[in-house]
């Protein structure tokens, strides 16, 4: 279903690789489920990124920077809590070369994948409702589309808070709709 790509997330090579495909974090905007970014805005950003070696002019706020800094601690806590040994990885689908994912944690041999979130709002909402916020649905199903796996663990972690672990199952009907929408989006990127 996928090939592992030898990249370190956050590097210039990784940014250029991301610009040449659709990543999991972009799925919600393509599906119209991202409250902060529209499909049209993502299209402009993606075209700009492809023209600028991966740099789109997008922003990173303090909460995003904090989440990135906490991610290794959150992954270590996940491994301790669950006994599932996962590591970050970049994957590309063998079915669609534009279908990509930069994973927070995967154990390929065990067919296990994890998405980590370290934000206050997402932690509070997941703790309150027992499910991830709906604007993460696209990201989670995109990861399952890339991996071909049947489920993904959604791990919300903050220091000195009770971790939130929710297992999300594959939704084939959603994935079919998403892949159609992403293929049309990618055609628009290439045409831009």
């Amino acid at each position: 279903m996928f090939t592992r790509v030898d990249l370190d997330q956050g590097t210039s090579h990784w940014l250029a690789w991301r610009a040449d495909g659709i990543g999991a974090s972009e799925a919600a905007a393509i599906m119209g489920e991202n409250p902060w970014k529209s499909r049209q805005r993502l299209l402009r950003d993606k075209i700009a990124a492809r023209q600028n070696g991966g740099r789109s002019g997008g922003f990173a706020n303090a909460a995003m920077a904090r989440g990135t800094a906490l991610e290794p601690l959150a992954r270590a806590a996940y491994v301790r809590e669950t006994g599932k040994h996962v590591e970050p990885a970049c994957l590309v689908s063998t079915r669609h070369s534009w279908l990509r994912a930069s994973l927070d944690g995967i154990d390929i041999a065990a067919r296990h994948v994890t998405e980590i979130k370290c934000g206050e709002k997402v932690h509070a909402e997941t703790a309150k409702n027992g499910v991830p916020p709906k604007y993460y649905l696209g990201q989670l199903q995109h990861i399952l589309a890339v991996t071909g796996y049947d489920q993904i663990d959604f791990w919300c972690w903050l220091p000195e808070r009770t971790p939130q672990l929710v297992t999300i199952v594959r939704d084939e009907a959603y994935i079919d709709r998403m892949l159609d929408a992403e293929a049309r989006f990618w055609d628009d990127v290439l045409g831009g």
Side-chain angles (χ1 to χ4, degrees):
M1 292 285 308
F2 61 84
T3 301
R4 188 170 182 164
V5 181
D6 187 23
L7 289 169
D8 290 326
Q9 295 182 37
T11 64
S12 61
H13 294 295
W14 173 77
L15 289 171
W17 175 77
R18 275 189 48 131
D20 280 331
I22 298 172
S25 63
E26 297 167 325
I30 293 169
M31 296 297 287
E33 299 166 351
N34 185 328
W36 302 282
K37 185 178 270 192
S38 69
R39 180 191 190 278
Q40 194 59 33
R41 175 61 191 264
L42 177 63
L43 181 61
R44 286 192 307 267
D45 288 351
K46 184 60 80 171
I47 291 169
R50 285 177 50 83
Q51 294 170 346
N52 297 307
R55 294 176 308 281
S56 68
F59 72 97
N61 62 32
M64 292 167 72
R66 181 175 184 242
T68 300
L70 288 176
E71 187 178 303
L73 298 172
R75 186 172 20 262
Y78 174 83
V79 169
R80 280 192 311 276
E81 182 82 19
T82 67
K84 297 174 182 176
H85 297 277
V86 296
E87 60 184 31
C90 295
L91 308 179
V92 62
S93 168
T94 55
R95 184 174 166 201
H96 304 290
S97 63
W98 48 262
L99 186 61
R100 299 166 180 210
S102 301
L103 304 178
D104 297 333
I106 189 169
D107 179 339
I108 294 172
R111 294 183 52 87
H112 182 80
V113 64
T114 305
E115 176 61 26
I116 297 170
K117 298 296 179 194
C118 299
E120 297 280 345
K121 183 177 178 183
V122 64
H123 186 279
E125 194 167 328
T126 304
K128 178 182 173 188
N129 299 321
V131 294
K134 64 182 179 179
Y135 46 85
Y136 287 119
L137 176 63
Q139 181 179 23
L140 297 168
Q141 293 299 325
H142 180 103
I143 292 168
L144 293 174
V146 172
T147 61
Y149 295 174
D150 293 328
Q151 62 186 31
I152 182 170
D153 279 351
F154 186 80
W155 176 252
C156 290
W157 184 87
L158 287 169
E160 304 186 19
R161 298 273 178 89
T162 301
Q164 302 299 310
L165 175 61
V166 181
T167 300
I168 304 299
V169 298
R170 184 181 185 90
D171 182 337
E172 208 63 56
Y174 182 94
I175 288 173
D176 288 344
R177 287 191 316 274
M178 179 188 65
L179 290 177
D180 286 344
E182 289 182 343
R184 287 190 307 274
F185 178 83
W186 190 244
D187 285 344
D188 290 346
V189 170
L190 296 178

